[in-house]
Each structure stands twice: as C-alpha cells, then as structure tokens.
Amino acid sequence: MTEPRGRRLLVGAIAAFALVFGGTVITLRYQEPVVSAGGTAVVPHARPVPPRADGDARMAAVEALLERRAAAVRDRDRAGFIATVDAGQSAFRAAQGRLFDALASVPFAVWSYEADFAGPARRVPSPDRYSGAETYSPSVVVLHYRLAGYDDRPGTTRQYLTFVRHGKSWFLGSDSDFERANVHTVREIWDFGPVVTVQGRRSLVLGHPTDKELLRRLSAEADRDVPRVTDVWGTGWPQRVVIVVPASQTELARILDRPSASLSRIAAVATADVTDGRGLVPAAANRIVVNPRNVAQLGPLGRRIVVTHEMTHVATRSTTTSHAPTWLVEGFADYVAYASSGIPTAVSAHELKEDVDSGRLPVTLPTDADFSGTSRRLPQAYEGAWLACRLIARRAGEAGLLRFYRTVAAASATDADVRLATALRTVLDSTPASFEAAWRSYLRSELG
C-alpha cells in the first residue's frame, strides 16, 4: 500500500509461509504530509534561503559550519567532522564520532546540507545545558545524500539541530533537543552503529555486521528478483534496488519515522521520497526496508515473494500517482510476486477462500480503507486485489493488465474515476459494475 511514514502497515498472509507483508511507505522528510484519497503523501521541499543581505552573521556561520561538516564526510576527514561539534557536549560528540565511523563503508556520491532560514527559528527547550552560551535552531536542516550507482537523485533526511556559539565560533550541540515535543530528527541506518554493505549485480544491501549473512541472502534474492519484475513490468525502471536491514523493530520504527509504532507484523516496506503532487516526478531514495526478525524466518520462496512484491512498488513508483486505487497497486505487486511461484491459489488466498466457503463473498472490490493496518479484513483485501489483477490478465493478457495499470495508476484527483472507467471499457470492454460482478464470480470459481 502507498502511505505516508508507514502509517498503514499491511499484512498479506500466505498460509504455507506465514508471510507478513509491509505496504509501500512514502517517507516524508520535511513536514506533516497532505494525504490524498489514494494514500500517497506528498510534501514540498524545504525552501532554503541564503543569509539576508543585511548580513545576518549567525545564518552565515551556520551555513559555513554545515558545509564544513559535509566536506568532512565527502573527504573522509574524521577530525574535521568532530571539530564541528560542541566540545562541551561529550556524549553527543562521542556519538557523532561513531556516526562518522559508520559512514565509512557506504558509497556516497552526494552529501550536503540545506538550512531553512525562511521558517521561524525553534526555541531550544533546555538552553541551560549549554552553560549560558547562545543557541540557535533553524526551522529545519535537510541532509541530501545519494548512493553511488543506485540513486539517480539525492534523497533527503530532515534534521532538527541546535547550534551553539562559543566566542566567535558556532558548533553543533545536539540533534535531539526537540524530541520531547515529538519533533524528531529522522534517522538512517548509519545512525545506529557500524554499517556493512553487500553489493550484488543489481542490489546494494545496507545493515549491521551482526546481520551480514542475512544481507548476503537478501542481495542474492534481489539479484534474482530484478529480472522477474522486469519480465512483467519491462525495462523502464532502474533495475537495481537498495535494501536496508535494521537490527531491530525499534530501529526499523525510527528509520520509518514511526518511533512509537508496533511493527511486529511487518516483513518489509518500500519507501521513497516523493515531491511531486501527482507522483510522476521520479522519486528519490527508493528503498526496501525489512524487518530482520520476520524476514530471517522466511524460507527461500517466502523471501522471493516479499522482495519481489516490494521491488514491484519500486519499479512502478514513477508511474503510480497518489490517486491510484490501492487494490490495483497492491494487487499488481502481488501479481508479479506470485508469478510462476507454483503456490496454489487456495493457499495464497486461504483467508478469502474461508470466507467464500462460508458464504461470505465480498460485495465490492477492496476499498482503500480495507488496506489499513487496523482492518480486520486486511488479508482478504490483499488476496482479493491480487485476484482482481489476475482476472484482468486472464481476460486481456498480461499486456492488457499492464495497459490497464498504466492508464489507471496515472490518474489525477479529478480524473481517477474517469480513467478507471476508460481502462475497463478499452481493455476489458466492461464497466465498473460489470467488472465487480465478474470479479465476484471469479472468486467463486477459483476459491469455491
């Protein structure tokens, strides 16, 4: 599912493997998102403003400090990086040293900062901890980074930083002063300790040293799954993927910017930075983020289905707007994931089969609300969506399903219903009501 910050955590069940799927999450980096009916959240970029012409020395000093930090990362200059941190904050200074060390194995092509001086400065909640020194916190600082060979555009991470003045010099004092106000610096995998990378032919997997064997298995799986996605979707996507493996569910929640969430039912989520109102500007920082505990318990076929499902979201991201119906987005991802899997339909859709066997045939196609993490019919929503896409492919061929998806997924808010009706008419010679009736009949024939 396509949602902001993992707000909807989706489960798709397969009885033979007890698989748990995460939905697609759009991670938003600057402010609380505006969420469309289709679920995709879109947020504008911060608008950094250079120091004012009247010579605001504080802004100029902070901007220069951020550039020194970025240059130190790019130049692998540990001493220069630590020199930007307030020496009076010993614990934070030590943590920043560990952060710098964790970046060593990550192949960055871009690392830079932008401070938003246009918004109101934040009031530092505990200035006394800085021993009376002058403090300053811009509205937000945005880290831009790009992974060499994998990111076409830089991803972004919002940070809420406190800067401290000693004499004529400014230093970084904290990145967590505002957490009690529920204003969190977004964390990445390198904020949680040493990072190792495993690079395959088409994959880059980032995690921690203790999980290196899982990283290898995921890299090998991703390399095998890229051609599977391409065989269905075509070559019009980067055909490479970045997978992030946190060490725990707590770490997973922080990376997804949901620190208080329970993610025990998630196996993986696909994330990206989306900045275009229709969702058609290429997303940045496409990632698959896994729950290590659940993924580690999967067998080879289970890993294949989970990774292929999420990889399909990565492949279709630039084609799928915020107004695409969730049943189509999730159903298509499952269609690709289950292709040639050999899993019987009665197993893949066993919750829905139980309903059909009990006479509880769905009345309508799954709604967006049915894909909410709190929905009692979440497994049935996934299964029904998958079978809807399989029905389209059966009636119009796989090429017809692709044509249907591309037509409907590109919808804007004002033409979503029109595009759905158009696709049904041109691809299936049908109407919304007729297709829904055909889908219900298909469920009876496949699951009854």
Side-chain angles (χ1 to χ4, degrees), residues 322-354:
S322 58
H323 308 290
T326 304
W327 70 261
L328 180 60
V329 176
E330 295 300 331
F332 183 77
D334 269 354
Y335 174 86
V336 179
Y338 285 120
S340 305
S341 69
I343 303 173
T345 303
V347 173
S348 301
H350 81 280
E351 288 92 348
L352 193 52
K353 176 175 172 52
E354 289 179 357

Side-chain angles (χ1 to χ4, degrees), residues 99-121:
L99 167 62
F100 184 90
D101 295 340
L103 300 175
S105 66
V106 184
F108 293 110
V110 170
W111 184 283
S112 64
Y113 298 94
E114 286 183 316
D116 183 357
F117 297 123

Side-chain angles (χ1 to χ4, degrees), residues 13-14 32 100 162 181 193 200 274 320 355 384 407 442:
I14 298 177
E32 192 64 18
F100 184 90
T162 300
V274 176
T320 307
D355 284 356
T407 298
Y442 185 64

Side-chain angles (χ1 to χ4, degrees), residues 213-229:
E213 182 54 38
L214 176 58
L215 271 60
R216 291 192 185 101
R217 291 200 300 269
L218 288 170
S219 177
E221 182 59 51
D223 284 348
R224 290 190 293 267
D225 293 339
V226 166
R228 293 188 176 109
V229 174

